[in-house]
Amino acid sequence: MSELFDKSIRTLELPTILNMLADQTNSEAARAKALGIYPSTDRLEVERLQEETDAAREMIGLRGSPAFSGIKEVSESLYRADRGGGLNTRELLDIAGVLRCARRVKDYWNDDITNDKRTAIAHLFRSLKGNRFLEEKIKNAILDEDTISDNASPDLAEIRRHMRAAQARSRQILQKIISSPTYAKILQETIITQRDGRFVVP
């Protein structure tokens, strides 16, 4: 671009406007894209972008903005998973959040009975691909970042069932100890407590 063009950009305070736009984004990738916008000098490209802007403004005016909450950057996680790598719970929950957001935004468009589906931004909505099955599988398997549900797999459910049974047996044994006159003199208190995740008696 010419020096005059760059000077015009600064005079029109485009960087300030782009920063304001970036502040409205929901992810680092979207923020970087917003900050990287540069005016086009191609007439057809300009007309296309103006048509998209008009279509988006009209839709927001009629129905409000679609919700983009829950969007996280997951491309690196997906790249690793696609090559057989393992993902942690945080990464899986982020992927479920992106799938949920894609589904809701697609529903926002599909539910618009006033939309004839031929607007300048229709291709953006059509490109969204949700996967409710995977979304719900992740949410049902991971309760939060630190908690895996028993429903995550049959093997995990069986292991935890055995663990609970073992804990119950441990408490029964300790209950017999604190109830026994034999140990009454050496116990500080007749209670069962936990230390470092293990049942103990004082």
Side-chain angles (χ1 to χ4, degrees):
M1 295 295 177
S2 68
E3 184 178 338
L4 179 60
F5 188 87
D6 290 337
K7 182 179 179 181
S8 299
I9 294 299
R10 292 191 297 272
T11 302
L12 294 172
E13 298 185 346
L14 180 63
T16 301
I17 295 170
L18 293 184
N19 273 300
M20 293 169 63
L21 175 64
D23 289 341
Q24 301 302 313
T25 60
N26 292 82
S27 72
E28 286 303 313
R31 181 176 181 83
K33 190 165 186 176
L35 292 173
I37 291 175
Y38 207 72
S40 174
T41 56
D42 182 280
R43 184 177 63 83
L44 294 178
E45 176 72 0
V46 170
E47 289 175 352
R48 181 185 66 79
L49 293 172
Q50 285 182 332
E51 287 177 4
E52 290 185 355
T53 301
D54 287 342
R57 183 172 51 80
E58 183 178 353
M59 179 176 284
I60 291 172
L62 290 172
R63 308 191 61 238
S65 299
F68 291 99
S69 60
I71 286 289
K72 298 289 178 63
E73 179 54 56
V74 297
S75 57
E76 190 175 311
S77 301
L78 294 176
Y79 179 86
R80 193 166 68 255
D82 191 47
R83 281 148 185 77
L87 304 182
N88 61 38
T89 54
R90 180 69 269 158
E91 291 172 313
L92 290 167
L93 288 173
D94 286 347
I95 289 170
V98 170
L99 290 173
R100 182 174 61 253
C101 182
R103 173 174 54 81
R104 288 178 176 173
V105 173
K106 190 71 175 277
D107 289 345
Y108 163 92
W109 183 66
N110 286 334
D111 292 343
D112 185 4
I113 60 174
T114 66
N115 186 359
D116 65 4
K117 311 304 184 195
R118 292 176 295 178
T119 66
I121 56 174
H123 68 283
L124 299 174
F125 290 97
R126 290 194 185 101
S127 68
L128 292 172
K129 306 294 181 187
N131 187 329
R132 190 157 195 165
F133 174 78
L134 178 58
E135 174 193 337
E136 292 183 351
K137 286 287 282 186
I138 293 173
K139 294 298 288 183
N140 290 335
I142 305 173
L143 303 181
D144 58 55
E145 193 170 345
D146 301 313
T147 311
I148 303 293
S149 167
D150 287 358
N151 299 324
S153 76
D155 288 342
L156 179 60
E158 182 69 8
I159 289 169
R160 287 185 172 169
R161 187 181 67 79
H162 285 300
M163 289 175 63
R164 286 191 290 269
Q167 286 181 337
R169 287 194 299 272
S170 298
R171 287 191 67 91
Q172 288 174 352
I173 293 169
L174 291 175
Q175 188 62 47
K176 287 181 181 179
I177 290 174
I178 65 175
S179 302
S180 170
T182 306
Y183 298 103
K185 294 180 180 179
I186 60 172
L187 293 175
Q188 295 176 356
E189 295 180 84
T190 56
I191 60 170
I192 300 172
T193 186
Q194 280 191 319
R195 182 176 299 162
D196 298 327
R198 295 174 296 174
F199 290 118
V200 296
V201 292

